[in-house]
């Protein structure tokens, strides 16, 4: 079953034992925005998805497969 973007993002972050603050520092994306992404209340730009995939060491498709078109 495919996870939605926000579920996948939170899962990958927690799997790597990163806090929102640590992920924020690594991606240069604000903690508040990351929290909104994880709650499913905000969809990140393509550029942000690429940053997240790089830091989390997964293909961008791992994050976006569950996203609604």
């Amino acid at each position: 079953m495919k996870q939605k973007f926000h579920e996948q993002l939170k899962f990958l972050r927690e799997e790597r034992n990163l806090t929102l603050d640590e992920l924020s520092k690594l991606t240069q994306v604000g903690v508040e925005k990351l929290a909104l992404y994880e709650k499913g209340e905000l969809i990140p730009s393509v550029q942000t998805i690429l940053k997240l995939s790089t830091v989390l060491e997964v293909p961008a498709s791992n994050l976006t497969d569950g996203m609604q078109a």
Side-chain angles (χ1 to χ4, degrees):
M1 181 175 142
K2 290 184 181 179
Q3 288 184 304
K4 295 180 179 168
F5 173 82
H6 67 279
E7 295 168 341
Q8 184 69 357
L9 176 60
K10 186 172 184 175
F11 171 79
L12 290 169
R13 178 181 62 79
E14 290 176 344
E15 186 178 60
R16 284 149 182 78
N17 295 314
L18 292 171
T19 65
L20 280 173
D21 192 53
E22 290 168 334
L23 185 59
S24 173
K25 289 175 183 168
L26 292 169
T27 59
Q28 304 278 301
V29 176
V31 173
E32 297 82 11
K33 277 196 172 182
L34 290 172
L36 291 173
Y37 297 154
E38 285 193 1
K39 291 178 187 174
E41 295 176 9
L42 187 65
I43 300 296
S45 68
V46 172
Q47 183 179 2
T48 300
I49 290 172
L50 292 175
K51 284 183 191 178
L52 290 166
S53 69
T54 299
V55 169
L56 295 170
E57 300 177 332
V58 294
S61 62
N62 283 23
L63 290 170
T64 59
D65 280 349
M67 288 180 74
Q68 299 287 333

